[in-house]
Amino acid sequence: MNEILCDVAVVGAGPAGLAAAAAAKQQGAKRVIVVERDAAPGGILLQCIHPGFGLSYFKEELTGPEYASRFAKKAKEAGVEFLTDVTVLEVGDGYLRCIGAACGLIEVRAGAVVLAMGCRERTRGSIRTPGTRPAGVYTAGAGQRLVNRQNLMIGKRIVILGSGDIGMIMARRLTLQGAKVEAVVELLPYLAGLTRNRVQCLDDFDIPLLLSHTVTEIRGHQRVEAVKIAAVDDKRQPIPGTERVIECDTLLLSVGLIPENELTRAAGIAIDRVTNGPSVNQYMQTSLPSVFACGNVVHVNDLVDNVSRESEQAGRSAAKFAQGTLPKAREIACKAAAGVRYVVPQRIVLSGEAEDLTLYFRVLAPGGASTLTAAQAGKSLADRKVRRVSPGEMEHLNLKSTALGDGDIEVALAAEEVK
């Protein structure tokens, strides 16, 4: 087995991996290697040809490939090395074991490792949709790749199950390609994705959104012929008597994303039971000190701009760890309190250094005017008023490390009183 030595090794060349690698080089890491199983860097952004990326990070609107190319260029100009068409088989304390058609088995030895594998889609098997097994059932991402990268049309009459962002964006894309999107069917009583995507992708094209509905049966033999849908109750169970059949030739599934953490679990790294990603501190350091993580492998983000910033933190921290300069101190926990589903980072290192900290979190349910708060031992650390909240949109609070003391940090949501 061949061995390669480096300061920082990054798993994945999507937006998270590219940002982390470039930041590690800028932090002073001499040799940074990115291992990517695809043939080229860019990740999922290469098939996201719609605009809307970079509004926060670059202050301009870019397509996915444009956004990815900027970070790929940045990484290459910084001297980052890429191993493409190479799959990582194992992650350990300061090493990766990989395999590739051209290089065979190799081991990458690193001072620090950054996990940036992204996430994958839930499939029909995950949600156990009854019915036959015809052609024409796709995940939204698979449909997006076929249409945008391989120039293949996936159907003419489409039903989309789930109101995730990829599903809504594909509703618009397929309509522009001449298909008829019969409906977007959402199990929850509220939107799963961003409000702006509902407006721009569904409302602007008169595509029906059916909340509190689900697909109860897929019909067809060689090809999808129809789906049966029904309204659901507050326990998300179909309500008898509400069923109706929609004729279609394609069912697109946009029913959630799962962080790609098989390598993480195999390495014995602690996993957060809510996010299904590794538990990290503000340096994006996992429970295995030499291993860092960033992007959708930690928690599913709705904006790539947030992924880039988070990943740059991971890259800088990994470089510092390899150089022996990353702060070490006791940690306190960040916990989700009233109205909040999870918080990232889950831990804060009390390093004694003056730092700007950002806590990212999602609320449990949609609501109107609210106050977001972070408190420690009953003392408010930060608060922010918002006009509305939704589980489909990430929230954040900014803290100063100098304000922290002992005790857990609790992040909570309080609804404003109607006057």
Side-chain angles (χ1 to χ4, degrees):
M1 184 186 300
N2 295 323
E3 188 174 272
I4 300 174
L5 302 179
C6 65
D7 296 291
V8 176
V10 180
V11 185
L18 292 172
K25 283 294 288 186
Q26 290 170 347
Q27 190 60 42
K30 291 184 175 59
R31 190 178 191 190
V32 177
I33 294 177
V34 178
V35 183
E36 169 57 47
R37 63 187 176 190
D38 211 341
I44 195 69
L45 291 185
L46 298 181
Q47 67 189 52
C48 300
I49 64 173
H50 54 278
F53 300 92
L55 291 169
S56 173
Y57 192 96
F58 291 111
K59 308 302 181 187
E60 60 180 300
E61 191 172 47
L62 305 171
T63 65
E66 287 172 332
Y67 189 98
S69 69
R70 292 199 181 188
F71 275 94
K73 181 180 179 182
K74 186 177 181 180
K76 290 173 182 176
E77 288 178 348
V80 172
E81 301 173 47
F82 291 87
L83 293 177
T84 55
D85 281 323
V86 175
T87 299
V88 177
L89 302 176
E90 182 183 346
V91 172
D93 188 5
Y95 71 87
L96 307 175
R97 291 203 178 100
C98 318
I99 190 168
C103 61
L105 282 169
I106 58 172
E107 183 165 287
V108 179
R109 285 278 170 185
V113 170
V114 179
L115 305 178
M117 295 89 72
C119 57
R120 65 176 184 273
E121 295 176 281
R122 295 177 71 201
T123 63
R124 178 184 177 179
S126 301
I127 59 175
R128 301 179 181 179
T129 305
T132 55
R133 297 177 61 84
V137 180
Y138 302 91
T139 63
Q144 186 181 57
R145 183 181 179 96
L146 288 168
V147 174
N148 291 348
R149 295 195 67 181
Q150 296 175 233
N151 201 31
L152 297 171
M153 194 58 184
I154 61 173
K156 296 180 179 179
R157 297 183 67 184
I158 320 288
V159 171
I160 299 176
L161 176 58
S163 62
D165 291 312
I166 303 174
M168 290 192 286
I169 288 165
M170 281 304 294
R172 176 179 62 185
R173 181 76 174 104
L174 290 165
T175 300
L176 292 171
Q177 286 298 112
K180 170 66 173 173
V181 178
E182 301 290 346
V184 174
V185 181
E186 172 55 58
L187 178 69
L188 298 172
Y190 51 83
L191 194 70
L194 295 171
T195 302
R196 78 180 191 194
N197 284 331
R198 173 180 179 167
V199 173
Q200 296 173 1
C201 301
L202 303 186
D203 296 349
D204 287 355
F205 292 87
D206 295 322
I207 297 171
L209 171 63
L210 305 177
L211 298 175
S212 296
H213 281 71
T214 192
V215 172
T216 59
E217 183 185 356
I218 299 172
R219 296 180 177 179
H221 296 285
Q222 295 299 317
R223 177 83 189 190
V224 172
E225 297 170 7
V227 297
K228 182 190 284 187
I229 70 168
V232 298
D233 58 25
D234 56 3
K235 295 182 180 179
R236 302 179 189 175
Q237 297 301 309
I239 301 172
T242 64
E243 300 92 347
R244 66 185 175 99
V245 175
I246 301 177
E247 293 185 356
C248 61
D249 59 21
T250 303
L251 176 64
L252 210 60
L253 303 177
S254 181
V255 292
L257 301 169
I258 303 169
E260 193 85 64
N261 272 304
E262 283 69 27
L263 290 172
T264 315
R265 288 188 177 88
I269 292 169
I271 299 291
D272 185 297
R273 63 182 181 83
V274 178
T275 63
N276 289 315
S279 172
V280 296
N281 59 29
Q282 75 265 39
Y283 305 123
M284 307 310 294
Q285 186 177 33
T286 70
S287 60
L288 186 59
S290 66
V291 178
F292 298 75
C294 56
N296 285 354
V297 83
V298 176
H299 62 136
V300 177
N301 288 261
D302 41 35
L303 296 176
V304 72
D305 307 65
N306 292 339
V307 167
S308 298
R309 291 190 179 92
E310 181 180 276
S311 302
E312 287 173 337
Q313 175 65 37
R316 289 191 295 267
S317 300
K320 290 179 181 178
F321 183 89
Q323 296 160 358
T325 60
L326 189 71
K328 296 180 182 178
R330 65 186 182 87
E331 297 180 334
I332 57 174
C334 292
K335 296 183 176 180
V340 174
R341 184 164 176 260
Y342 72 81
V343 184
V344 172
Q346 292 88 347
R347 312 183 311 275
I348 298 292
V349 176
L350 296 176
S351 64
E353 296 184 353
E355 298 178 87
D356 292 327
L357 308 176
T358 301
L359 306 182
Y360 292 98
F361 56 96
R362 291 188 186 272
V363 300
L364 285 169
S370 307
T371 301
L372 310 172
T373 64
Q376 186 180 50
K379 176 188 174 184
S380 177
L381 300 173
D383 62 76
R384 183 164 62 90
K385 293 184 183 296
V386 293
R387 289 186 293 178
R388 62 177 181 81
V389 291
S390 170
E393 301 190 24
M394 188 78 70
E395 300 290 350
H396 72 278
L397 285 169
N398 297 321
L399 310 178
K400 296 288 186 182
S401 62
T402 50
L404 300 180
D406 292 323
D408 297 342
I409 297 172
E410 293 190 340
V411 179
L413 167 74
E416 293 287 301
E417 293 184 9
V418 179
K419 298 181 180 179

